[in-house]
Amino acid sequence: MTISSKNNFTEIEIDRIIEMAWEDRTPFEAIKFQFSLNEADVKMLMKKELKFSSYKLWRKRVENCKTKHLAKRVEGIDRFKCKLQRAITNNKISKR
């Protein structure tokens, strides 16, 4: 089943899916939960929307990333954002 026949996404939704796919801590399961796209569908969407060189970089990154699949994650990683994210946002981490 192709992506276009499965869902008609807006540009904003496509941008969000691409953003989530690039994020190391966001697993494919989160994308499936939010947008009903499995891993193969995300790969097709990325291939369609990105330049080929960007797609190749993304695929290489995903293959080496253990946090993109919930089953491969280390036990301690159970959320999608870093514990230090607030500190980074408030620029405290750079002042340590």
Side-chain angles (χ1 to χ4, degrees), residues 42-53:
V42 172
K43 289 176 184 176
M44 283 192 305
L45 181 122
M46 295 293 277
K47 192 171 190 174
K48 180 181 150 203
E49 296 293 327
L50 298 178
K51 293 186 296 185
F52 185 69
S53 59

Side-chain angles (χ1 to χ4, degrees), residues 53-68:
S53 59
S54 298
Y55 173 75
K56 282 180 22 182
L57 286 171
W58 175 75
R59 287 289 295 137
K60 185 176 180 179
R61 181 178 176 137
V62 167
E63 288 174 9
N64 295 321
C65 185
K66 293 182 182 1
T67 57
K68 288 305 282 184

Side-chain angles (χ1 to χ4, degrees), residues 12-35:
I12 294 170
E13 290 171 325
I14 290 171
D15 286 345
R16 182 62 186 138
I17 294 167
I18 291 170
E19 182 181 6
M20 291 174 77
W22 270 104
E23 293 170 348
D24 289 339
R25 288 184 153 260
T26 304
F28 286 112
E29 290 82 358
I31 298 171
K32 183 175 178 99
F33 177 78
Q34 197 168 0
F35 295 101

Side-chain angles (χ1 to χ4, degrees), residues 71-83:
K72 292 183 181 179
R73 283 187 169 201
V74 179
E75 266 187 55
I77 301 174
D78 58 353
R79 53 191 227 165
F80 302 141
K81 71 174 191 174
C82 175
K83 292 181 220 172

